[in-house]
Amino acid sequence: MPSKPVSVTGVDWVLTRIGSEAARPEEVKGRPRFWLDPSKDRRVTGHTGVNAMTGTYEQSGGALQFGPLKTTRRAASPDLMQQEAAFLGALKKAA
């Protein structure tokens, strides 16, 4: 029997790895994350591990794409800034 599709909206998605690197910090609550609003507004909100972020998304079939994402402009240690750039880059490439 085929399994029922699982929705990706209304779920708190937390980064565990980026490339071959484990996500930082070690405690989950401080890691990059995002949440896809299931309403018709199709908003994405989250945190990059350094900055708050917001934007839009589109979901069609099995594809997910993010619109332009806005972030606050806080700074952090170089390793967290590098992880933030990789995280935002990965969201931009999502398809």
Side-chain angles (χ1 to χ4, degrees), residues 62-86:
L64 177 66
Q65 279 191 306
F66 294 92
L69 298 173
K70 298 175 189 176
T71 64
T72 54
R73 300 190 41 98
R74 294 179 56 198
S77 64
D79 61 325
L80 288 179
M81 295 303 295
Q82 183 178 15
Q83 177 178 264
E84 176 186 70

Side-chain angles (χ1 to χ4, degrees), residues 24-65:
R24 293 178 299 277
E26 288 185 22
E27 69 269 2
V28 172
K29 69 179 184 176
R31 290 185 191 166
R33 66 185 60 245
F34 64 90
W35 187 80
L36 303 173
D37 184 344
S39 74
K40 65 180 179 172
D41 293 338
R42 306 253 186 223
R43 302 291 307 164
V44 57
T45 56
H47 199 270
T48 67
V50 178
N51 288 289
M53 67 174 207
T54 187
T56 60
Y57 74 93
E58 286 293 325
Q59 183 181 9
S60 177
L64 177 66
Q65 279 191 306

Side-chain angles (χ1 to χ4, degrees), residues 6-13 34-36 38:
V6 176
S7 176
V8 298
T9 62
V11 177
D12 195 22
W13 293 95
F34 64 90
W35 187 80
L36 303 173

